[in-house]
């Protein structure tokens, strides 16, 4: 209508699964100058709710009237199946009143708005779903860096990138290469970039893994594999990368035995 302020709540899923990350956007629209105000969103019972990132500000035209918009984004994770009610968001503030308000009062005029509560129908974890349970909209894996040659006893770096549409970084399982005879693997802590895209969370995870071949020859190191649940289609999917094939040259001091560098790493590990 012609309200000076209104609040809108939008969720990216009406029938999410238990532990599925749901993006929630709360938008305050106001067409009058605000002197002060507070936007509040109470958490629902049976779910966790946390704010994601900083507020966004922009303008929007509705029915020919221009509104300033403050958008606040949240991550909602249901903890149990069944009905879930997300309370409506509330705004209470003050704006500059009209001429008579300024003459007979201090010029301030109260303004308030609220969005209706939203009901979600939370589905249980399917019996046939893979474990660990990972409900998503999409999952992509790729090698950001993939060497093809190495030298015995010397480390080469592999970088794996995971793009998860519909999950926070904390929900993703560890990603690494498969244990392989003839090599040692040393994984760095993952680097994480959490975003909010198309109304829901998206996480980009990058992890470097050092491969130390123990002897010359050709070695195949198994790639990462993640099973996940397609929340939109209700089916199990698998994201995987092909094995890494390394042609390993003899080490600089190789005599056919375990290379010195690899032996030093093993001894350091045993000492710790």
């Amino acid at each position: 209508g012609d309200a000076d302020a209104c609040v809108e709540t939008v969720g990216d899923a009406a029938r999410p699964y238990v532990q599925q990350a749901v993006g929630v956007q709360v938008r305050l629209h106001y067409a009058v100058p605000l002197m002060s105000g507070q936007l509040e969103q109470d958490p629902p019972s049976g779910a966790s709710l946390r704010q994601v990132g900083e507020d966004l500000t922009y303008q929007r035209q509705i029915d020919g009237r221009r509104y300033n918009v403050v958008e606040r984004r949240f991550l909602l994770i249901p903890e149990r199946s069944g009905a879930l009610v997300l309370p409506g968001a509330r705004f209470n503030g003050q704006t500059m009143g009209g001429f008579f308000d300024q003459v007979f009062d201090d010029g301030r005029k109260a303004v308030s708005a609220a969005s209706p509560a939203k009901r979600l129908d939370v589905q249980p974890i399917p019996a046939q779903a893979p474990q660990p349970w990972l409900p998503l909209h999409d999952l992509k894996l790729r090698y950001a860096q993939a060497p093809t040659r190495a030298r015995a006893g010397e480390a080469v770096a592999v970088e794996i990138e995971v793009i998860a549409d519909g999950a926070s970084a904390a929900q993703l399982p560890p990603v690494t290469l498969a244990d392989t005879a003839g090599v040692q693997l040393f994984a760095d802590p993952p680097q994480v970039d959490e975003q909010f895209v198309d109304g829901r969370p998206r996480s980009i995870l990058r992890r470097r893994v050092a491969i130390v071949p123990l002897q010359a020859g050709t070695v195949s190191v198994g790639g990462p594999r993640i099973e996940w649940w397609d929340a939109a289609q209700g089916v199990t999917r698998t994201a995987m990368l092909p094995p890494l094939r390394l042609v390993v040259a003899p080490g600089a001091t190789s005599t056919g035995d375990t290379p010195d560098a690899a032996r030093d790493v093993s001894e350091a590990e045993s000492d710790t």
Side-chain angles (χ1 to χ4, degrees):
D2 59 353
D4 290 336
C6 61
V7 179
E8 175 187 30
T9 300
V10 178
D12 84 287
R15 301 185 70 245
Y17 289 93
V18 172
Q19 297 175 7
Q20 178 182 340
V22 179
V24 176
Q25 296 165 287
V26 174
R27 302 187 185 110
L28 166 66
H29 301 72
Y30 59 97
V32 293
L34 294 179
M35 300 179 66
S36 62
Q38 187 170 8
L39 181 63
E40 297 178 311
Q41 172 66 65
D42 293 332
S45 175
S48 65
L49 183 73
R50 67 175 177 89
Q51 185 176 340
V52 178
E54 301 294 329
D55 291 348
L56 302 179
T57 57
Y58 52 91
Q59 291 188 329
R60 185 180 181 188
Q61 193 113 0
I62 302 176
D63 295 334
R65 191 177 188 188
R66 184 172 296 279
Y67 285 85
N68 295 301
V69 183
V70 176
E71 180 178 301
R72 187 166 296 172
R73 297 160 296 171
F74 296 89
L75 181 64
L76 172 70
I77 300 181
E79 298 169 351
R80 57 175 180 262
S81 60
L84 174 65
V85 178
L86 176 64
R90 308 179 308 279
F91 173 75
N92 290 287
Q94 291 183 326
T95 183
M96 183 67 70
F99 172 77
F100 289 103
D101 294 317
Q102 297 180 41
V103 170
F104 296 105
D105 205 342
D106 63 357
R108 296 174 183 265
K109 179 182 177 181
V111 59
S112 62
S115 63
K118 295 189 72 68
R119 177 188 170 97
L120 285 72
D121 181 16
V122 182
Q123 305 175 72
I125 299 175
Q128 71 275 24
Q131 296 296 327
W133 167 241
L134 183 61
L136 298 171
H137 289 269
D138 194 14
L139 182 68
K140 289 183 171 63
L141 288 175
R142 77 178 185 98
Y143 288 122
Q145 181 178 340
T148 58
R149 297 185 176 276
R151 185 178 294 275
E154 298 179 9
V156 292
V158 176
E159 186 172 354
I160 304 166
E161 181 180 78
V162 183
I163 302 177
D165 182 3
S168 65
Q171 293 176 288
L172 299 179
V175 57
T176 188
L177 301 172
D179 290 334
T180 304
V183 301
Q184 291 181 319
L185 304 176
F186 304 93
D188 291 345
Q191 303 297 313
V192 174
D193 179 19
E194 291 189 318
Q195 305 174 354
F196 208 87
V197 181
D198 296 332
R200 59 177 174 260
R202 175 178 295 178
S203 297
I204 301 175
L205 183 149
R206 296 181 180 89
R207 194 175 198 189
R208 290 173 62 89
V209 181
I211 302 177
V212 181
L214 302 181
Q215 58 190 16
T218 301
V219 63
S220 180
V221 182
R225 174 190 175 99
I226 301 176
E227 289 190 327
W228 58 281
W229 182 260
D230 188 327
Q233 301 298 321
V235 295
T236 298
R237 300 197 186 278
T238 302
M240 59 188 301
L241 291 176
L244 284 170
R245 185 175 181 272
L246 287 176
V247 178
V248 184
T253 59
S254 176
T255 59
D257 296 328
T258 302
D260 291 341
R263 186 162 50 245
D264 291 343
V265 171
S266 299
E267 290 174 355
E269 286 183 331
S270 63
D271 290 342
T272 57

